[in-house]
Every structure is written in C-alpha cells, then in structure tokens.
Amino acid sequence: MEKNIDGEILNVPRHVAVILDGNGRWAKKRLMPRNYGHKAGAQAVEQACEDIYNLGVQYFTVYAFSTENWKRSVEEVTGIMNLLRNYLVNSIERSNKNNMRVRVIGDRTALALDIVDAIRKLEDATKQNTGLNFTIALNYGGRDELRRAMTAIAKEVKEGSAELTDITEDFISAHLDTAELPDPDLLIRTSGEERISNFLPWQIAYSEFYFTPVLWPDFKRADFVEAIRYYNKRDRRYGGVK
Ligand code: IPE
Ligand code: IPE
Ligand code: MG
C-alpha cells in the first residue's frame, strides 16, 4: 500500500514481524533488573501497535517468548509471564477501542491455565475487529511449530482424511499457527543481533530483513519509518528477473 508518510510516498509492507530484543541490555544500562526492561518492552509494544497501524501496516507480529526462553531464571520467566497476564487482561478494552484483532501463536500446552484462558478470552473478544491484526508469538519456536504441523498432517494421512498428494506448500502453511496470516514482508530485529532465533522460519522465506542496533524499549515510530524506507529500497524478485 502506498502512503504519504511525513511528506514522503512510501510503499508500506502489509505484514511486519519483529524480534523484540534488547530488553535485558536496556535495563542493564540503567543498572536495573532485567524485568524492568521487559516492562519497558511491553509498553513499547503497546505504543508500536498504534504507530504501526497509523503508518498503514495491516499485520504486526511480535516474538515475545520463545520455546528456548524457558532456560532463563525462574525469576525472569515469572516476571515475563506476569507481564503477559496483565497485558492479556487489560488489552481487551484497548484493543476493541482501537479496532485491533489479537491472536497468539505458539504452543499453549506448556502455559499456565489462567494464561491459556486469558488468551482465549482476548482472541474471542477481538475477533470481529477489522483494524490491525496483532499477533503475539508466545512459547513459540519455528521448529516446534513445524513439528506440530507435521504431526497433525501425519495423523490426517494415517486416518485417511488426507492423501500424500494433498501435501502442497499451501497445505503445510494451512497447518501452521500462522494459517490465517499472510507471510511477513518485512522482518525487523532490534538490539544488533543478526539472527532469526527460531522465529517463523517457514514464513520468512522471502521476507526482507532489517537489523538495527536500537534496543527494543527505545524503538519508536521514527525507527519504523526508517525500516519502511529501507524496505522501499529493496527489489523483491522472488527468484525471478526484473
Ligand atoms: C527480548 O529481550 C525479550 C525476550 C526474549 C523475552 P532480551 O531479554 O532477550 O534482552 P537481551 O537480549 O538480554 O538484551
Ligand atoms: C529471541 O530473542 C526470542 C525473543 C525475542 C522472544 P533471544 O534473546 O531469546 O534470542 P538469542 O538467545 O539472542 O538467540
Ligand atoms: Mg535477547
């Protein structure tokens, strides 16, 4: 979608995915505990939803907690889960006010029951909204997602509801957590790391990547505009010739 952003006509990506990174370092710089950084990171996510929608983005997906993040201290994991609890409950009203639809991807079976319940309520309460599609990756790992999809497909074949010849790329996509979402056009990772860390490996096959040293809690509207400018300089060829 073409949009006039601060006097500049830019092609705005439909789906932006972000690996939110650098909360811990942001807190450390302030001589504060890591969970202080996660709190600031959560506030930055709320602001980002508004900014990015105003910029014309339709799908916004964030990596909030990976299947590997359980390796962190109990204190940190508990702190992150409590922030989530707060977010899930408090955001129903705000999401509806902003016409935002919220989804959660990842394996829910390892999450506390009250969190699973809060996710279901939030998804349900916002499913009629037609504004920003905001997706939170929670206990998400790309390899784990593929494993779950493969198990589901194998079961269908075994039980006879699917044939081997049904297994097309679209069929696989439809068995992923992201079945309802288009693939990301732009993937952003903050904090200077330039790796994927198991985020959407299938879905980002043709995404453009934007890496920035800015720590997630410091990432603002102007940084999104910078990322969209960078995206506009890319020439997406999808394997063809232009
Ligand atoms: C990202 O920030 C948030 C989560 C992974 C939950 P980090 O906690 O990874 O921050 P750094 O990388 O230690 O600075
Ligand atoms: C990736 O960040 C996971 C999330 C942002 C949720 P990490 O900080 O966990 O990744 P690594 O350890 O640097 O690869
Ligand atoms: Mg990190």
Side-chain angles (χ1 to χ4, degrees), residues 43-178:
Q43 281 162 0
V45 169
E46 286 178 23
Q47 186 60 47
C49 285
E50 292 189 19
D51 292 341
I52 207 161
Y53 187 56
N54 290 332
L55 289 170
V57 172
Q58 296 166 48
Y59 292 83
F60 179 41
T61 301
V62 300
Y63 201 9
F65 193 86
S66 76
T67 47
E68 288 71 37
N69 286 146
W70 298 105
K71 293 178 197 160
R72 300 186 179 197
S73 73
V74 175
E75 189 193 357
E76 180 169 355
V77 171
T78 310
I80 294 173
M81 291 300 155
N82 283 337
L83 275 171
L84 267 161
R85 280 190 173 88
N86 270 331
Y87 176 84
L88 293 169
V89 174
N90 296 334
S91 70
I92 293 189
E93 207 182 308
R94 199 179 38 250
S95 302
N96 283 332
K97 200 179 100 216
N98 294 333
N99 195 21
M100 179 167 90
R101 178 166 181 181
V102 189
R103 294 179 179 86
V104 174
I105 57 170
D107 182 4
R108 292 181 197 187
T109 58
L111 299 173
L113 287 180
D114 69 302
I115 294 186
V116 178
D117 197 45
I119 292 171
R120 196 183 45 73
K121 284 199 180 112
L122 176 60
E123 286 185 330
D124 236 45
T126 63
K127 71 170 180 244
Q128 314 292 353
N129 293 342
T130 54
L132 183 70
N133 285 278
F134 175 50
T135 303
I136 309 167
L138 185 52
N139 192 29
Y140 175 88
R143 290 182 173 180
D144 180 65
E145 178 189 37
L146 286 166
R147 177 192 64 75
R148 287 184 285 108
M150 284 183 201
T151 306
I153 292 172
K155 191 160 174 270
E156 287 176 31
V157 172
K158 195 174 163 200
E159 290 172 352
S161 59
E163 304 283 337
L164 283 182
T165 47
D166 289 332
I167 307 174
T168 58
E169 292 185 11
D170 286 344
F171 188 82
I172 295 171
S173 294
H175 284 77
L176 298 176
D177 298 348
T178 50

Side-chain angles (χ1 to χ4, degrees), residues 19-25 34 38 69 72 189-191 193 195 197:
I19 301 175
L20 313 170
D21 200 11
N23 291 350
R25 278 163 281 173
R34 294 181 60 81
H38 293 314
N69 286 146
R72 300 186 179 197
R189 182 165 188 155
T190 55
S191 90
E193 310 301 344
R195 56 177 170 261
S197 301

Side-chain angles (χ1 to χ4, degrees), residues 140-143 145-146 196 198-205:
Y140 175 88
R143 290 182 173 180
E145 178 189 37
L146 286 166
I196 299 309
N198 208 6
F199 190 43
L200 304 174
W202 172 276
Q203 298 88 339
I204 58 171

